[in-house]
Amino acid sequence: LPLVCIGLPCLYLSGGALQYVRTRSKHPTRRFLPCLLWTLANVVGTLGVVFFAGTVVVSYGLLLAIEWKFFAALFLPCSTAVLEIGGVVFTQLAYTGLVIEQRPHVPGDISLAAMPYMLT
């Protein structure tokens, strides 16, 4: 089991919990469950991207091992771009579903332009 699969959830969960506890006095209307769901969505999204990045690396190595260098040269940049776009789309969908739709709508609110948090 890669250490990243253990370290990232611990980092996200401890960091999110610490931020929630330390800022309760500034944000009295903040609820725990939506914050937890948003944190878990980030953990799942990050681990999903890490898993598929590993799959891309193994597939690339396999293409090089069977000497399909031309296809390997095309596969790596294309699959990496699709992987990163998929991670951003997942984060945007999670942000919209877990954060934006739970808040009251205010005229002039520009929060629908999601600013996804991506760990690189």
Side-chain angles (χ1 to χ4, degrees):
L1 184 66
L3 290 179
V4 72
C5 293
I6 298 168
L8 283 179
C10 292
L11 174 72
Y12 272 117
L13 294 176
S14 63
L18 183 62
Q19 180 184 10
Y20 177 81
V21 170
R22 291 191 67 217
T23 59
R24 276 188 310 193
S25 61
K26 295 179 184 175
H27 306 284
T29 59
R30 182 182 286 166
R31 294 171 300 167
F32 179 72
L33 187 60
C35 293
L36 178 65
L37 290 175
W38 172 236
T39 301
L40 290 176
N42 274 318
V43 170
V44 169
T46 302
L47 288 179
V49 169
V50 167
F51 173 75
F52 285 116
T55 305
V56 166
V57 169
V58 169
S59 301
Y60 178 70
L62 182 64
L63 287 172
L64 288 178
I66 60 175
E67 306 228 354
W68 287 9
K69 295 177 184 175
F70 177 75
F71 292 113
L74 291 176
F75 173 75
L76 186 62
C78 294
S79 60
T80 303
V82 168
L83 179 67
E84 290 184 6
I85 290 170
V88 171
V89 167
F90 175 81
T91 304
Q92 184 177 11
L93 289 174
Y95 184 77
T96 301
L98 296 173
V99 177
I100 298 296
E101 291 179 358
Q102 305 301 323
R103 297 182 345 173
H105 296 285
V106 178
D109 189 6
I110 60 167
S111 297
L112 285 176
M115 303 294 180
Y117 177 87
M118 298 302 294
L119 183 64
T120 58

